[in-house]
Amino acid sequence: MRSSAILKTLSPLVVATVVSPGAALAGDWWVQAGPSIRGGMKVSVSGTSRTQLEDVHAAPSPPGAQAGYADRVYDDGYVKLDSGTLDPNAVGGAGLTWNWAYDRPDQYDSAGRTLTFRRAYEQVARTTRDTGLEGDNELEGLGLSFQFGRTLRRDDRWLFDLALGFHGFWDLRSTITGSSFQEEVGPLTVTDRFDVRGAVHPELGFPPPRTASGGYTGTYEGPAGEAPGWAGGYPVIPNVPVGGLAQMEVASIAANQVTFRLSQDLYEITLTPRISYRVSQNLTAYLVPKLGVAIAVTTAQRTETFSEMSAAGPARVLRSWNDEVEETDALFTCGLAGGVELALGSGFHLGAFGGYDWVLNAQEFDLGPNQIKVDNSGWSVGLVLRKEL
């Protein structure tokens, strides 16, 4: 792993700088350790869902509106193509058909001279949300800092130290939840209305339904085919409706729910010069720039469910998926911190610090149909106990 080579190169240089007697004008060795909190690191997800990729639905999709000439079949009749519907040279021109029939007298509106057909679907699913899956959250947790250093220069007020540090943060956690797909589920009724004024016979009126004695039943072949069963011959109507309506009764809602759970262990080795100013005999303020290399070990889990919810009972899980991945990367870091410490006597000092760390390269990896990005740049605060050796 590339991080091992970096550490092997960096460690001898740091140790030589801190330990070499020629580097120090006056020296005191010291060691410090303490708990710390790190936060503000950002986790973001993008991509889509397995529900969308696999085209999963709680029920069949509703029929789309049929544009143009087509065979339309209803629960109470039909309006289909005939041998001349697509022929611009047919009698009356293209777009007309005698291949139609209806079931009930109340389907015909004599005032408006329209004929209405209906088709009921027991259960369909109508999509109400179909988007990308996006989300972000912060990654935070507790850790421990350890440093071993030496004072290289000092005077009455100022001190300059150089230290090698190890910082470990275990079980940093973040959770992101989102939904990218939703649909309404329930019965659907489709209503189409046709202009039938051209089928009204001047003497016989409008053809009766096919369920009546002598009612009209259209055929594809026309006059050369089977007789329509109506004395008026072969009345034609437009093949395309003049209006339509789709009415749906929503009985339940189906949606996906995607949850991402990330846990991370972050280990960092830093080289930190430290500039201190003695405010009083017992109180010192300091500023610490730092440069380092971190190893981030991230475990990411992804759970997706597609469930149907209704007022009649609990949610019903229709499909579920699980994905997991572990990613390990070397990250280059730099930072700046400031703090104060109080001399306790016998070489002990109690301090508190706060700062910000920038991570120059983010973790990026795939998890199922999603892309994960972890930016470990963030703030840190902590307490330390320092002992002069």
Side-chain angles (χ1 to χ4, degrees):
M1 187 168 59
R2 55 180 177 170
S3 58
S4 299
I6 295 170
L7 296 178
K8 288 178 181 178
T9 303
L10 181 60
S11 299
L13 297 176
V14 174
V15 172
T17 302
V18 176
V19 174
S20 174
L25 301 181
D28 292 318
W29 293 98
W30 53 265
V31 63
Q32 72 176 32
S36 56
I37 302 173
R38 184 155 175 163
M41 299 170 285
K42 186 176 180 181
V43 178
S44 58
V45 301
S46 60
T48 185
S49 71
R50 294 202 181 277
T51 301
Q52 292 158 290
L53 285 178
E54 299 182 19
D55 198 27
V56 178
H57 298 277
S61 298
Q66 289 178 295
Y69 306 137
D71 286 338
R72 296 174 172 86
V73 179
Y74 305 93
D75 295 336
D76 49 9
Y78 60 86
V79 179
K80 299 180 180 180
L81 302 170
D82 71 6
S83 56
T85 304
L86 305 179
D87 183 2
N89 297 316
V91 177
L96 300 177
T97 181
W98 53 62
N99 191 7
W100 60 274
Y102 70 107
D103 289 348
R104 302 183 318 276
D106 62 0
Q107 291 177 243
Y108 175 60
D109 177 9
S110 58
R113 297 199 174 183
T114 60
L115 189 62
T116 300
F117 295 88
R118 291 180 176 82
R119 182 170 181 180
Y121 298 86
E122 183 177 353
Q123 191 176 61
V124 299
R126 181 173 59 190
T127 300
T128 55
R129 181 173 66 244
D130 189 357
T131 64
L133 189 62
E134 307 283 342
D136 60 75
N137 198 7
E138 290 191 354
L139 187 68
E140 58 186 20
L142 300 175
L144 180 67
S145 296
F146 174 85
Q147 284 187 305
F148 179 68
R150 188 176 187 180
T151 302
L152 302 182
R153 296 180 184 275
R154 72 168 68 223
D155 60 26
D156 291 341
R157 291 285 186 178
W158 294 94
L159 295 89
F160 179 75
D161 299 79
L162 187 63
L164 183 65
F166 170 80
H167 313 275
F169 296 90
W170 295 272
D171 205 24
L172 300 167
R173 289 186 173 271
S174 182
T175 300
I176 299 173
T177 300
S179 177
S180 59
F181 184 81
Q182 180 176 294
E183 56 191 13
E184 297 174 335
V185 182
L188 174 72
T189 301
V190 175
T191 303
D192 283 338
R193 189 176 73 258
F194 290 81
D195 181 354
V196 296
R197 69 187 64 196
V200 179
H201 193 280
E203 297 178 1
L204 301 177
F206 189 70
R210 62 180 174 179
T211 54
S213 177
Y216 177 72
T217 302
T219 65
Y220 177 81
E221 296 298 335
E226 181 181 349
W230 184 58
Y234 291 82
V236 295
I237 66 173
N239 178 262
V240 179
V242 294
L245 180 65
Q247 293 179 302
M248 183 174 181
E249 180 184 344
V250 179
S252 61
I253 301 293
N256 71 334
Q257 184 82 6
V258 187
T259 301
F260 301 88
R261 293 182 176 86
L262 283 87
S263 63
Q264 184 186 79
D265 294 338
L266 185 66
Y267 309 98
E268 184 180 16
I269 294 178
T270 58
L271 177 63
T272 56
R274 178 167 118 163
I275 303 170
S276 304
Y277 179 75
R278 188 177 292 110
V279 179
S280 66
Q281 183 177 358
N282 295 323
L283 184 65
T284 301
Y286 58 86
L287 185 67
V288 181
K290 61 182 178 180
L291 183 66
V293 175
I295 302 297
V297 181
T298 302
T299 299
Q301 297 175 325
R302 180 188 186 278
T303 301
E304 179 176 354
T305 57
F306 182 63
S307 304
E308 185 178 5
M309 297 150 283
S310 68
R316 181 168 62 102
V317 177
L318 304 178
R319 289 285 300 275
S320 64
W321 302 264
N322 293 283
D323 299 280
E324 184 172 346
V325 68
E326 183 175 294
E327 181 79 6
T328 301
D329 291 296
L331 310 173
F332 296 96
T333 69
C334 61
L336 185 64
V340 294
E341 66 177 21
L342 181 67
L344 303 178
S346 301
F348 285 96
H349 302 264
L350 179 63
F353 70 89
Y356 196 88
D357 294 273
W358 291 270
V359 176
L360 307 184
N361 52 316
Q363 273 192 304
E364 295 182 278
F365 53 90
D366 293 332
L367 178 59
N370 299 103
Q371 295 74 51
I372 310 297
K373 181 178 180 180
V374 183
D375 183 355
N376 283 101
S377 299
W379 53 265
S380 58
V381 295
L383 299 174
V384 294
L385 181 65
R386 187 166 71 93
K387 176 66 170 69
E388 295 175 355
L389 304 178

